[in-house]
Amino acid sequence: MTTHGDAVGPSALSAVPAPSDEKNQVSGAAGGPTERTGASQIRPENHGNRPEPVEAPPAVRRLTTALTRLRAALGAVSYPLVLPSADEARRVGSALTAQLDDYLLPRLARLDAPLLVVVGGSTGAGKSTLVNSLVQAPVSTAGVLRPTTRSPVLVTHPDDVPWFGRGGLLPGLTRTGESSDAPHALQVVATPSIGPGLALLDAPDVDSVVDQNRRLASQLLAAADLWLFVTTAARYADAVPWELLTTARLRGTVIALVLDRVPLDAAAEIAAHLGEMLTANELGSAPLFVLPETDLDQRGLLPDSAIGPMRIWFAQLAGDANARGTVVRQTLDGALSALAPALNGLAEAAEDQLRTARALDERVEAAYRGAQRTTEEGLRDGRLLRGEVLARWQEYVGTGDLVRNLESRVGHLRDRLVAALTGRTTSGQSLRVALESQLVTLLRGVAADAAEQAYAAWQAHPAGAALLEPGLQRASADLPERADRLVRDWQQFVLDLVRTEASDKRAVARGAAYAVNGAGLAVMIAVFTTTAFIPTGLEVAAGAGSAVAAQKVLEAIFGDQAIRTLAARARTELMERVEKLLATEAARYTERTSAVRTETTHGTLLRQAAAEVENARKELALTGSGS
């Protein structure tokens, strides 16, 4: 067996002596050839209590507080809109949350806890055989069928079961004493053949055909104090393992490598090439163990000639508290320092969500602002005075001669108003219905147009298209009913307004309620023209005489200024009611982006949390440099 590099180099493992090829050292390894007892697969909860941790120093407490706040900030962001950044943000956010729960917070709470070595690698690399051989017992199932490893297997000394067996690290995994197909199960095996202070975790394949296995492998690797990556002479250049190795390096995880099943005649060449690849990927200081092709013994284990020096190396690491502490602190510090760039990316993704939600909302608001403007124009340009409304108004006010002569007869109208209008209830009702129908038709039309425009605007954006459903392309089903109610309520408002304004006028003091109805209808007609009652060309075409008639009727009762005040108030009230109606229609769209719009501060909170964690990390100075 050989190693790449001299005495491991400057990594955290440099405190551990490089492995030796002297066979006589094997007897000094944990378990030794003469002490190979069978491993006991036990229920971890039957083994004592975890040692009580000592009170953490202030710097550790501050870092713990910062990480807890970060955990809350991560949990508040959902990235619901379909955007190029969203899938990656959800994946990274989920991974960071898992790492906080599985590793960072529990490890920070117990820096002195045993070292966790996660054995990872590609399918068929021989991870389980390697773990079994290191502990000299068949603790993890090995075979030719894939995937072989079902629940991950954690092998630890009985003294360390209280830490690993009760959810210090990886608290979301259910501990079990036997292999299981259940998701989120972690088999814990206690054996004295592995020294106290260090545990080996046989993880699923990083390139498993089973999605759950791949996800679990990534989760376990993120919780490793030391990642022992296993590959073979045939697959050491595969892309997937190198992607994970790069991720581990960027995260600051301490890494050692095993090159398994190396033909003796090609060992030097392959080891040299792998060494070059490690150097090119900034992993040149990582220990490299080269295991030659060899037959397994009757128990399916690697012979001592191949595995003995590696067992000694791990035994020395387990027995050296300072070396273990150095590994833990380097990996922990690296994981903490990697948070800031990841969180900045998540903050950008959160802000991208907010910007997109606002852009989608603006498209909807533009469509319904257009509907509001169309309604206003419909009131101002006289189009509503055509057809049935005009006919009913002329019928209601009187004959054509009356319309022509109203201006010269205004002086007599005050005294004759009630008599002139008495008995014309039917035509007044017809006029009111015609007004209602015309206005409702306008509202239904503008709402339908706005719905189509908003739908088309969202359909042109991937995030908007994902939020659509067919019903949004039309106005809501109850819009006609709500529009009818809006117009009727507005008509009643106008009548009440006229009644209040006329309450102290002697001209109508002796008039019946019909006088109020007549004046109210005249106000409604006036609202359907320009505010100043100056007929435009379009109004003339629509029947300018009708507008003049409305004006003269009102002048006869209230005077010129009162006319303007009543018409302006009635128009304002109508447009406010229309605005609310259209806002309700627009809300069918904007409520779909409301989840994002409530997250206006999440990008800022993520950045603040990242800065707080980084400041606390530097203050704690886990690796001594504080940088």
Side-chain angles (χ1 to χ4, degrees):
M1 171 179 170
T2 61
T3 60
H4 171 70
D6 297 328
V8 182
S11 74
L13 292 174
S14 60
V16 185
S20 169
D21 289 323
E22 296 179 17
K23 288 188 177 182
N24 58 9
Q25 290 187 344
V26 175
S27 61
T34 61
E35 301 179 29
R36 293 175 187 166
T37 58
S40 57
Q41 302 200 7
I42 50 105
R43 298 284 179 182
E45 59 267 26
N46 295 331
H47 283 258
N49 297 317
R50 188 186 310 164
E52 290 296 329
V54 297
E55 183 179 1
V60 172
R61 293 200 299 271
R62 281 190 286 273
L63 180 54
T64 300
T65 299
L67 290 174
T68 302
R69 289 174 181 165
L70 170 59
R71 174 68 172 80
L74 286 170
V77 192
S78 57
Y79 312 100
L81 298 182
V82 176
L83 294 172
S85 60
D87 287 343
E88 178 67 7
R90 282 190 291 268
R91 186 192 67 78
V92 172
S94 177
L96 290 181
T97 298
Q99 190 179 31
L100 283 164
D101 294 341
D102 292 342
Y103 180 70
L104 292 174
L105 286 168
R107 172 51 82 188
L108 190 61
R110 285 295 307 277
L111 290 172
D112 62 332
L115 185 75
L116 179 62
V117 179
V118 175
V119 182
S122 303
T123 300
K127 300 183 301 297
S128 297
T129 298
L130 178 64
V131 170
N132 292 340
S133 300
L134 286 172
V135 300
Q136 292 291 283
V139 294
S140 184
T141 303
V144 295
L145 296 179
R146 301 290 174 236
T148 299
T149 303
R150 294 183 292 175
S151 55
V153 180
L154 189 149
V155 187
T156 185
H157 189 276
D159 291 348
D160 293 335
V161 167
W163 169 249
F164 291 114
R166 294 198 172 188
L169 298 176
L170 298 163
L173 298 184
T174 303
R175 273 49 172 181
T176 178
E178 56 189 19
S179 183
S180 171
D181 287 322
H184 310 299
L186 175 62
Q187 180 186 359
V188 178
V189 177
T191 174
S193 60
I194 185 172
L198 181 146
L200 297 173
L201 198 163
D202 184 9
D205 301 331
V206 297
D207 55 356
S208 173
V209 296
V210 181
D211 290 343
Q212 169 65 21
N213 282 357
R214 290 198 307 274
R215 289 192 296 267
L216 183 55
S218 296
Q219 179 184 0
L220 297 177
L221 291 171
D225 293 311
L226 190 158
W227 184 14
L228 182 64
F229 175 69
V230 184
T231 187
T232 65
R235 303 195 58 184
Y236 68 88
D238 287 357
V240 172
W242 281 101
E243 291 175 3
L244 290 172
L245 283 169
T246 300
T247 299
R249 176 182 61 78
L250 293 174
R251 187 183 288 155
T253 305
V254 177
I255 302 170
L257 295 98
V258 176
L259 181 61
D260 196 9
R261 302 171 187 162
V262 180
L264 290 175
D265 58 353
E269 180 182 352
I270 293 174
H273 183 228
L274 179 54
E276 292 172 0
M277 294 182 68
L278 290 169
T279 299
N281 286 274
E282 301 180 36
L283 291 167
S285 63
L288 171 60
F289 299 92
V290 179
L291 302 184
E293 261 185 338
T294 184
D295 294 330
L296 304 180
D297 65 16
Q298 65 275 15
R299 294 177 299 168
L301 306 181
L302 293 166
D304 285 343
S305 59
I307 200 66
M310 191 188 302
R311 290 179 58 227
I312 294 172
W313 190 81
F314 274 111
Q316 291 171 334
L317 179 59
D320 189 336
N322 289 333
R324 294 198 313 273
T326 300
V327 171
V328 166
R329 288 172 176 272
Q330 178 171 316
T331 294
L332 180 57
D333 187 69
L336 292 169
S337 64
L339 290 176
L343 292 170
N344 283 333
L346 294 184
E348 283 290 338
E351 290 161 355
D352 191 19
Q353 292 273 316
L354 183 58
R355 285 191 296 269
T356 301
R358 287 173 173 167
L360 291 175
D361 287 352
E362 174 56 32
R363 295 183 183 197
V364 173
E365 290 163 4
Y368 284 92
R369 279 197 304 268
Q372 183 86 357
R373 285 194 300 270
T374 301
T375 304
E376 290 175 346
E377 292 167 0
L379 294 180
R380 292 179 182 276
D381 63 14
R383 75 180 71 170
L384 296 178
L385 292 178
R386 298 169 183 168
E388 185 73 9
V389 173
L390 178 60
R392 294 291 169 255
W393 169 243
Q394 290 175 336
E395 177 185 347
Y396 179 67
V397 172
T399 65
D401 290 339
L402 175 61
V403 171
R404 286 190 299 272
N405 296 328
L406 265 177
E407 184 171 1
S408 63
R409 299 176 59 190
V410 167
H412 303 287
L413 189 58
R414 291 187 180 89
D415 297 330
R416 299 182 56 189
L417 179 63
V418 176
L421 300 178
T422 299
R424 309 197 65 85
T425 303
T426 299
S427 62
Q429 290 175 341
S430 298
L431 174 59
R432 187 167 175 176
V433 169
L435 287 167
E436 177 182 338
S437 175
Q438 194 84 317
L439 188 51
V440 167
T441 299
L442 174 63
L443 295 179
R444 292 177 65 174
V446 298
D449 290 345
E452 290 181 2
Q453 292 170 17
Y455 192 95
W458 273 26
Q459 199 169 40
H461 193 292
L467 297 174
L468 290 174
E469 60 181 35
L472 289 174
Q473 195 168 10
R474 302 178 295 277
S476 55
D478 65 343
L479 176 78
E481 177 185 346
R482 289 188 290 116
D484 285 341
R485 185 165 59 251
L486 180 153
V487 176
R488 288 195 300 269
D489 290 348
W490 175 73
Q491 289 176 330
Q492 186 59 50
F493 167 83
V494 173
L495 294 177
D496 292 342
L497 181 65
V498 171
R499 183 179 295 109
T500 301
E501 183 69 18
S503 62
D504 61 347
K505 303 294 182 180
R506 288 181 299 171
V508 294
R510 63 184 187 276
Y514 185 79
V516 173
N517 291 339
L521 287 170
V523 171
M524 296 175 202
I525 287 291
V527 169
F528 285 8
T529 65
T530 57
T531 304
F533 304 102
I534 302 173
T536 65
L538 186 57
E539 287 167 356
V540 170
S546 301
V548 174
Q551 180 178 359
K552 297 306 178 181
V553 169
L554 292 173
E555 284 178 353
I557 303 172
F558 306 121
D560 183 68
Q561 185 58 44
I563 301 171
R564 298 177 186 276
T565 301
L566 285 175
R569 291 179 62 184
R571 183 188 296 272
T572 299
E573 179 67 21
L574 176 58
M575 292 312 304
E576 287 177 353
R577 292 172 185 255
V578 171
E579 184 177 6
K580 291 178 181 177
L581 177 76
L582 294 176
T584 301
E585 288 294 288
R588 298 183 306 145
Y589 284 90
T590 55
E591 67 186 6
R592 295 167 184 266
T593 59
S594 61
V596 179
R597 285 184 281 106
T598 60
E599 300 180 358
T600 55
T601 62
H602 286 178
T604 300
L605 290 177
L606 286 172
R607 286 193 171 90
Q608 289 175 345
E612 186 179 359
V613 169
E614 180 62 10
N615 290 337
R617 181 192 72 84
K618 290 180 178 178
E619 179 187 1
L620 184 56
L622 286 163
T623 60
S625 64
S627 61

